[in-house]
Amino acid sequence: MSIKISETLTFECETGNYHTFCPISCVAWLYQKIEDSFFLVVGTKTCGYFLQNALGVMIFAEPRYAMAELEEGDISAQLNDYQELKRLCLQIKKDRNPSVIIWIGTCTTEIIKMDLEGMAPKLENEIEIPIVVARANGLDYAFTQGEDTVLAAMAHRCPEQNFLNNKKQEIKDKRIKDLFSFRFNETEEKNTKFNNSINKTSLVLFGSLPSTVASQLSLELKRQSIHISGWLPAQRYTDLPVLGNAVYVCGVNPFLSRTATTLMRRRKCKLIGAPFPIGPDGTRAWIEEICSVFGIKTQGLEEREKQVWDNLTDYINLVRGKSVFFMGDNLLEISLARFLIRCGMIVYEIGIPYMDKRYQAAELTFLQTTCKKMCIPMPRIVEKPDNYNQIQRMRELQPDLAITGMAHANPLEARGINTKWSVEFTFAQIHGFTNAKDVLELVTRPLRRNNNLENLGWTNLVK
Amino acid sequence: MKLAYWMYAGPAHIGTLRVASSFKNVHAIMHAPLGDDYFNVMRSMLERERDFTPVTASIVDRHVLARGSQEKVVDNISRKDKQERPNLIVLTPTCTSSILQEDLQNFVERASAVSDSDIILADVNHYRVNELQAADRTLEQVVRYYLDKARRQENFSVSLTEKPSANIIGIFTLGFHNQHDCRELKRLLKDLSIEINQVIPEGGFVENLHMLPKAWFNLVPYRETGLMTAKYLEKEFGMSYISTTPMGIVDIANCIRQIQERINTQYPILLKKKINYEPYIDEQTKFISQAAWFSRSIDCQNLTGKKAVVFGDATHAASITKILACEMGIRVSCAGTYCKHDQEWFKEQVQNFCDEILITDDHTKVGDMIARVEPSAIFGTQMERHIGKRLDIPCGVISSPVHIQNFTLGYRPFLGYEGTNQVADLVYNSFTLGMEDHLLEIFGGHDTKEVITKSLSTDTDLTWSSESLLELNKIPGFVRGKIKRNTEKFARQNGITQITAETMYAAKEALNA
């Protein structure tokens, strides 16, 4: 075997000829997350056909997204972009009346240099609906990074803290007036609530999670008496969190580096760099990091983690000693690999589309310590992998499990290599203590399937 | 700009890739940004392909935007040439690359100099043709390329095969039931003692394309893909082609008669004696295929005059319309297609078999039409199936675009005599569901939203008289529960505790009113 065993993590970079989803796919989960939004993807038939095919059945549920399909006249500038977009957005306003329209710029709008950012504020005033512009295109980004571009754009729309402080003053003034009225108690109650949230340094989490997962994570932090003042994105666009220089922010997903940068540089927030709450080990480290920033001593976390690990025993027995190969397509790879190593698996290679060593610093360190702790060689991290080369390497290594995109899953299965479709990790609930089981449920599914089909003599199904 | 949620036909490059990857040992390289290779996902998932889809992307990224592709495309081509040793590499432009306007032909020439494979640039305009048109063009382009090459190398013979033979043109990957249709066509031709010269593109080798002219004629089962190639072969080699789709008993017979006529008139010397397929047609129609008998049976009588709507690609929509109208006596209220480029042909085909014709690629227009017509059944694509679900109208899927459930493992041809059986089943099953619905209607409506009692058991405060129970038992089983619930609901609303046969009919009347 040709794997390199080294003490430090090695980073390589290949040709970038790999399969992944186009970042516009983020509309699929974001339109469901942000209930009052409408996503308008400004692109060609190619983009539309991708969404239609990749998102399968969802398209028939009257989704709150659509294509603004560019035609030849748009490309050759025979039609006026602004007028065209205005026409479509007015139609959307009439049919759906959303609280925000999000324009997703694509490769085509980049190439023809359509000035979406320039047009949006003008049109916004004209039609009186906020328009947020995110350039989630395949020229610059891969798959989940689409969410990153949308959230980074949305970070600019979050209300400012100073603005709220003024409001607080207003309320104080009003309170004096109210002293003479009968509605005193009600207002008093409101104000106490308000003071609490403002006076304490507040914490905003960023990253789109299903609402149940979001409340699970909120509860975990509440146990350590940390109150979350808001989420980016919130369930509704109108509930975006307050940002400012007294606000701490922390990411829940590894692909949100642009959002993190925007929050720090443009909104002056303080970023808490922590491993991501994936797996019980990750969740604990994430909570501990947040607590240490707020100077809180954690309570009962160690037991909580241990209890989760105990519940996972059956799954861990299945995966221990088995090897994994991440082909890389959604940027969750480092965190997942770290969790699987902690479960006793051997990771040969972590392919990843893009590696932000600063944003993921804590996660990378955690990966390193986990490898040492488990006495497992450091995996190689391959940025911008080359799928062809990876398949050659896989032939040599014969991993027990390949985590890969759908383009390669069936062909690999036919050659006797077990696969798990990587996109499922993006759509499944994998964050926090509660969902650690779900990750292993996914990872072990092919292994369990094998236990059922073993000894039938048809693992290799190609001539 | 156009506000769009759904499209019937995909972008042009999908068509090119479908043709290229149907051939054996042909590799396609897309000049495209990251993420545009979802064709691989479609092929791997829908067709459940065991092999890696022979399509890679030469990625267009920021650097390419700034400086042009330069060596990148050429490198990718020659690299693939060394890795896979394909016979042919098809450089495929996408919508992105067609705006970049790079000189891809130049890359092709440069790469040709250093590769062993043949290399061509797919000649399709992204903003003018759709998936199906692009597939048609690409197939013609590949065939032309290899016939020209053979002509230059003077290594091809136009001598015909000894026995009557045919090429089947237009069977390809991700086509609607294409694999099954191909098997059925082969069987049909075998029955007619016609040899198969070549099937293209599915499973064909480009090296063998120079032997295409050896066949006596070409068979083009689907209008969308293959006609251009057949016309090219006719022009260059005088090969006649038959483009009557052998779908439905009448058109199968038409198709076979055309074959007979071509062979008898064009090759009398080679043949020595005249062939006569009439006894075969007769035998198959009456006794092998069940469809002709089915349309005489009383089951089919019940379908007489029922309203249906048909929508799909030109081939399937036209054939199904004709089958419904002439072979089953069903009234086609509207027939339509999204193949706008072929609308003249489509209109001509169906004009006597339907009340109105709809040519559109906007699914909302199709939905509105269905809602207005209120047919008893729809025959369409996956989109119409979903429209049907929303409107509570059963739908049989007869055309692309389709989901994975239409890539069946079992044998389900639409063409040939076995195809007639499959179509008859499909039609009948769609309408039977409609009949059940109708019975439900007669005995009291669809309103299941209002729950009267949570349990389905009989411990209610209502008592049924013996005669009313007898009456209840007369009602067909599958609607009995519903009638019972409706009657009880009616009784409760009217303060009746003892249910008699009168109550039942009063309930029915009340609900119908």
Side-chain angles (χ1 to χ4, degrees):
Chain A
M1 282 204 292
S2 65
I3 45 165
K4 208 154 82 188
I5 296 173
S6 82
E7 283 296 295
T8 51
L9 293 167
T10 52
F11 295 94
E12 289 169 47
C13 187
E14 283 192 308
T15 62
N17 274 328
Y18 64 100
H19 166 76
T20 182
F21 274 178
C22 175
I24 60 170
S25 51
C26 67
V27 306
W29 63 87
L30 287 177
Y31 92 80
Q32 293 184 27
K33 174 71 192 178
I34 310 168
E35 286 166 357
D36 51 353
S37 62
F38 191 97
F39 285 79
L40 184 67
V41 183
V42 188
T44 59
K45 256 186 183 325
T46 308
C47 313
Y49 207 56
F50 164 70
L51 285 177
Q52 177 173 324
N53 280 291
L55 310 184
V57 189
M58 274 194 267
I59 196 121
F60 301 108
E62 292 220 9
R64 289 186 318 280
Y65 71 79
M67 290 291 307
E69 195 184 309
L70 300 169
E71 290 165 302
E72 204 166 7
D74 298 302
I75 304 298
S76 53
Q78 284 165 334
L79 296 168
N80 181 316
D81 298 336
Y82 185 79
Q83 291 306 329
E84 290 294 297
L85 281 168
K86 184 179 164 188
R87 184 170 57 81
L88 300 192
C89 288
L90 281 174
Q91 195 181 333
I92 292 165
K93 185 184 177 186
K94 189 174 133 250
D95 296 348
R96 310 288 175 100
N97 197 26
S99 311
V100 60
I101 297 177
I102 295 138
W103 287 351
I104 303 286
T106 61
C107 303
T108 312
T109 57
E110 288 297 307
I111 295 170
I112 64 173
K113 300 202 167 34
M114 192 184 278
D115 184 19
L116 295 176
E117 276 96 345
M119 286 186 278
K122 251 171 87 186
L123 191 56
E124 189 173 304
N125 281 332
E126 218 173 323
I127 67 169
E128 292 171 328
I129 291 180
I131 296 174
V132 173
V133 181
R135 300 181 180 192
N137 60 68
L139 295 166
D140 301 305
Y141 306 109
F143 196 16
T144 48
Q145 286 181 292
E147 177 182 321
D148 194 19
T149 62
V150 173
L151 297 190
M154 240 172 221
H156 292 282
R157 301 301 182 110
C158 296
E160 184 63 43
Q161 209 170 23
N162 294 337
F163 167 76
L164 270 205
N165 283 338
N166 292 342
K167 212 161 195 186
K168 201 167 106 187
Q169 191 59 48
E170 258 172 49
I171 289 171
K172 258 187 195 154
D173 296 344
K174 200 162 174 259
R175 193 164 136 201
I176 297 164
K177 276 187 227 156
D178 282 344
L179 272 174
F180 304 99
S181 83
F182 293 104
R183 290 168 60 229
F184 175 79
N185 283 337
E186 198 189 325
T187 327
E188 175 68 347
E189 198 180 67
K190 257 191 202 161
N191 277 324
T192 357
K193 249 190 187 169
F194 211 83
N195 285 341
N196 284 345
S197 64
I198 290 291
N199 291 345
K200 251 191 215 161
T201 350
S202 56
L203 172 68
V204 169
L205 299 182
F206 58 96
S208 156
L209 293 178
S211 57
T212 47
V213 183
S215 51
Q216 282 161 10
L217 286 183
S218 308
L219 267 178
E220 295 294 349
L221 287 175
K222 205 175 163 195
R223 265 184 216 164
Q224 310 298 336
S225 47
I226 289 177
H227 171 72
I228 299 175
S229 53
W231 282 83
L232 176 68
Q235 201 70 17
R236 300 181 64 80
Y237 176 77
T238 43
D239 298 341
L240 282 178
V242 181
L243 296 178
N245 55 11
V247 176
Y248 280 90
V249 290
C250 188
V252 295
N253 269 322
F255 45 77
L256 298 172
S257 55
R258 271 179 74 91
T259 311
T261 314
T262 310
L263 290 172
M264 282 193 300
R265 296 205 184 139
R266 307 296 299 275
R267 306 305 309 265
K268 311 292 176 209
C269 303
K270 299 185 183 77
L271 179 73
I272 304 174
F276 300 99
I278 292 168
D281 49 342
T283 311
R284 180 180 162 191
W286 182 73
I287 296 173
E288 278 175 346
E289 193 59 49
I290 294 173
C291 287
S292 80
V293 167
F294 288 102
I296 292 170
K297 204 167 171 295
T298 58
Q299 282 165 359
L301 256 191
E302 202 179 333
E303 297 78 55
R304 179 105 172 91
E305 190 198 353
K306 190 179 170 299
Q307 178 205 342
V308 176
W309 283 116
D310 288 346
N311 291 340
L312 296 176
T313 314
D314 288 349
Y315 291 101
I316 289 173
N317 288 340
L318 268 173
V319 299
R320 189 179 294 122
K322 298 250 168 40
S323 54
V324 200
F325 192 109
F326 284 89
M327 283 186 83
D329 70 348
N330 58 14
L331 284 95
L332 292 172
E333 290 88 2
I334 303 281
S335 312
L336 286 173
R338 178 260 303 150
F339 170 47
L340 293 184
I341 290 172
R342 180 64 181 75
C343 291
M345 296 186 91
I346 300 155
V347 177
Y348 287 148
E349 175 168 328
I350 307 176
I352 186 165
Y354 169 72
M355 180 75 244
D356 186 332
K357 286 181 200 157
R358 282 196 352 203
Y359 177 61
Q360 295 221 41
E363 184 65 84
L364 284 168
T365 320
F366 197 28
L367 171 69
Q368 223 166 338
T369 50
T370 307
C371 285
K372 276 186 194 139
K373 186 175 167 193
M374 301 302 290
C375 297
I376 275 169
M378 303 279 174
R380 59 196 277 178
I381 296 174
V382 182
E383 231 184 313
K384 289 173 155 239
D386 182 295
N387 282 166
Y388 183 84
N389 296 344
Q390 285 185 312
I391 287 162
Q392 306 306 316
R393 291 200 284 274
M394 237 187 276
R395 275 203 182 127
E396 200 182 328
L397 296 164
Q398 289 292 321
D400 294 307
L401 182 69
I403 296 184
T404 170
M406 270 206 287
H408 296 107
N410 268 339
L412 286 171
E413 287 283 353
R415 282 156 185 79
I417 291 179
N418 300 311
T419 57
K420 183 75 231 142
W421 177 36
S422 56
V423 176
E424 280 187 71
F425 292 104
T426 329
F427 293 114
Q429 311 195 336
I430 59 170
H431 293 77
F433 287 124
T434 326
N435 298 311
K437 194 174 146 226
D438 289 47
V439 182
L440 287 181
E441 180 77 21
L442 287 176
V443 169
T444 56
R445 195 170 295 153
L447 305 171
R448 283 178 287 132
R449 189 260 333 257
N450 282 1
N451 291 345
N452 294 336
L453 301 185
E454 193 168 58
N455 306 325
L456 290 171
W458 58 58
T459 6
N460 198 326
L461 288 155
V462 281
K463 279 179 196 158
Chain B
M1 269 180 225
K2 201 169 81 179
L3 199 60
Y5 299 89
W6 164 270
M7 60 188 82
Y8 283 102
H13 73 272
I14 297 284
T16 299
L17 296 179
R18 281 174 65 187
V19 166
S21 59
S22 294
F23 280 113
K24 286 237 184 310
N25 212 24
V26 170
H27 202 97
I29 293 185
M30 295 166 69
H31 189 239
L34 192 68
D36 271 4
D37 59 350
Y38 59 86
F39 173 74
N40 298 32
V41 176
M42 287 167 62
R43 188 155 182 270
S44 164
M45 295 307 289
L46 296 176
E47 288 268 35
R48 299 183 194 86
E49 262 294 329
R50 300 169 194 221
D51 281 320
F52 293 102
T53 303
V55 173
T56 44
S58 172
I59 305 273
V60 175
D61 55 15
R62 276 285 154 191
H63 299 291
V64 172
L65 272 199
R67 310 174 303 138
S69 294
Q70 297 188 346
E71 301 303 314
K72 200 170 183 180
V73 176
V74 179
D75 285 348
N76 276 318
I77 294 176
S78 45
R79 196 168 152 234
K80 203 39 80 181
D81 174 54
K82 292 194 180 64
Q83 285 168 354
E84 313 257 338
R85 307 234 146 258
N87 297 118
L88 171 69
I89 294 176
V90 182
L91 182 60
T92 311
T94 57
C95 60
T96 311
S97 65
S98 57
I99 322 171
L100 283 176
Q101 296 191 319
E102 283 193 88
D103 188 0
L104 295 179
Q105 188 58 48
N106 174 38
F107 296 149
V108 166
E109 272 146 33
R110 276 165 54 204
S112 302
V114 291
S115 322
D116 298 329
S117 324
D118 297 315
I119 302 162
I120 60 174
L121 172 67
D123 175 28
V124 288
N125 181 325
H126 241 271
Y127 292 92
R128 303 219 173 132
V129 295
N130 67 21
E131 174 182 358
L132 299 168
Q133 293 162 291
D136 204 14
R137 273 157 207 260
T138 305
L139 184 59
E140 193 247 15
Q141 197 189 354
V142 172
V143 169
R144 184 192 290 265
Y145 179 87
Y146 278 95
L147 286 173
D148 283 348
K149 188 181 170 190
R151 206 178 283 169
R152 276 200 311 276
Q153 295 172 344
E154 291 168 2
N155 78 342
F156 82 122
S157 60
V158 276
S159 66
L160 294 177
T161 53
E162 216 167 289
K163 287 187 185 148
S165 65
N167 296 319
I168 301 176
I169 299 176
I171 305 285
F172 67 148
T173 192
L174 291 171
F176 182 73
H177 292 243
N178 273 17
Q179 311 288 351
H180 310 294
D181 284 348
C182 181
R183 206 167 119 196
E184 188 62 23
L185 286 178
K186 283 179 178 169
R187 197 172 81 175
L188 179 72
L189 291 175
K190 189 170 171 245
D191 283 355
L192 303 175
S193 315
I194 295 170
E195 287 173 353
I196 308 286
N197 185 49
Q198 275 181 44
V199 177
I200 59 166
E202 184 64 50
F205 282 94
V206 285
E207 297 159 303
N208 296 339
L209 289 179
H210 69 272
M211 296 197 295
L212 279 176
K214 290 175 91 66
W216 291 28
F217 67 96
N218 291 319
L219 184 60
V220 184
Y222 314 110
R223 282 194 67 73
E224 285 73 22
T225 309
L227 265 189
M228 270 181 91
T229 311
K231 283 181 181 151
Y232 162 76
L233 290 170
E234 186 183 44
K235 193 169 142 251
E236 295 290 311
F237 302 94
M239 295 179 77
S240 64
Y241 67 88
I242 289 153
S243 62
T244 302
T245 305
M247 197 188 307
I249 289 176
V250 176
D251 273 350
I252 298 173
N254 279 340
C255 181
I256 296 176
R257 287 192 187 109
Q258 281 176 36
I259 294 173
Q260 171 182 307
E261 194 204 320
R262 301 286 166 93
I263 295 179
N264 282 340
T265 52
Q266 291 189 338
Y267 313 103
I269 307 148
L270 279 170
L271 259 181
K272 295 183 187 92
K273 61 169 183 5
K274 285 212 161 188
I275 48 169
N276 180 15
Y277 291 138
E278 289 302 332
Y280 174 76
I281 294 173
D282 194 58
E283 169 79 8
Q284 289 286 328
T285 304
K286 286 185 183 158
F287 305 107
I288 307 298
S289 159
Q290 299 295 315
W293 156 236
F294 171 72
S295 57
R296 291 293 302 180
S297 73
I298 49 161
D299 273 344
C300 204
Q301 215 176 73
N302 281 339
L303 301 182
T304 307
K306 287 230 168 274
K307 279 202 289 187
V309 160
V310 181
F311 196 84
D313 62 21
T315 303
H316 288 87
S319 296
I320 295 289
T321 303
K322 286 187 271 182
I323 293 172
L324 293 176
C326 336
E327 296 178 20
M328 292 178 156
I330 290 161
R331 178 161 166 204
V332 180
S333 302
C334 182
T337 180
Y338 57 85
C339 295
K340 282 165 136 176
H341 60 278
D342 208 11
Q343 54 176 301
E344 297 313 318
W345 177 86
F346 183 79
K347 283 177 184 163
E348 186 196 312
Q349 290 293 306
V350 301
Q351 62 186 353
N352 296 322
F353 302 107
C354 61
D355 301 344
E356 60 176 305
I357 296 170
L358 179 68
I359 312 284
T360 182
D361 54 5
D362 180 350
H363 76 272
T364 53
K365 285 202 180 119
V366 181
D368 291 346
M369 177 270 289
I370 293 173
R372 173 171 54 81
V373 169
E374 288 187 71
S376 316
I378 311 167
F379 298 93
T381 71
Q382 276 296 332
M383 191 68 222
E384 281 68 49
R385 197 172 71 86
H386 284 271
I387 295 170
K389 261 192 199 164
R390 200 174 297 169
L391 299 174
D392 244 342
I393 301 170
C395 176
V397 176
I398 52 123
S399 158
S400 295
V402 287
H403 286 333
I404 193 159
Q405 65 261 41
N406 297 99
F407 290 89
T408 56
L409 300 175
Y411 187 49
R412 297 265 166 77
F414 270 62
L415 304 185
Y417 285 108
E418 176 55 29
T420 61
N421 295 337
Q422 298 292 339
V423 172
D425 276 345
L426 181 76
V427 171
Y428 184 63
N429 289 341
S430 306
F431 276 109
T432 326
L433 295 172
M435 289 289 282
E436 280 171 26
D437 252 14
H438 185 58
L439 275 171
L440 287 170
E441 207 69 67
I442 294 171
F443 289 101
H446 271 285
D447 187 17
T448 47
K449 282 172 198 116
E450 197 181 334
V451 182
I452 317 156
T453 50
K454 283 245 169 83
S455 70
L456 289 173
S457 60
T458 49
D459 56 340
T460 59
D461 48 338
L462 296 163
T463 48
W464 286 69
S465 72
S466 55
E467 37 123 37
S468 67
L469 278 176
L470 221 62
E471 202 59 38
L472 189 66
N473 282 331
K474 285 183 203 159
I475 292 161
F478 56 89
V479 285
R480 201 176 295 145
K482 167 92 81 182
I483 311 293
K484 187 157 180 273
R485 258 174 288 140
N486 279 331
T487 312
E488 289 185 354
K489 181 174 148 198
F490 173 81
R492 260 188 213 97
Q493 280 164 357
N494 292 282
I496 302 167
T497 48
Q498 170 84 11
I499 293 173
T500 60
E502 282 79 22
T503 324
M504 279 179 76
Y505 293 114
K508 181 175 170 254
E509 277 161 33
L511 281 163
N512 281 352

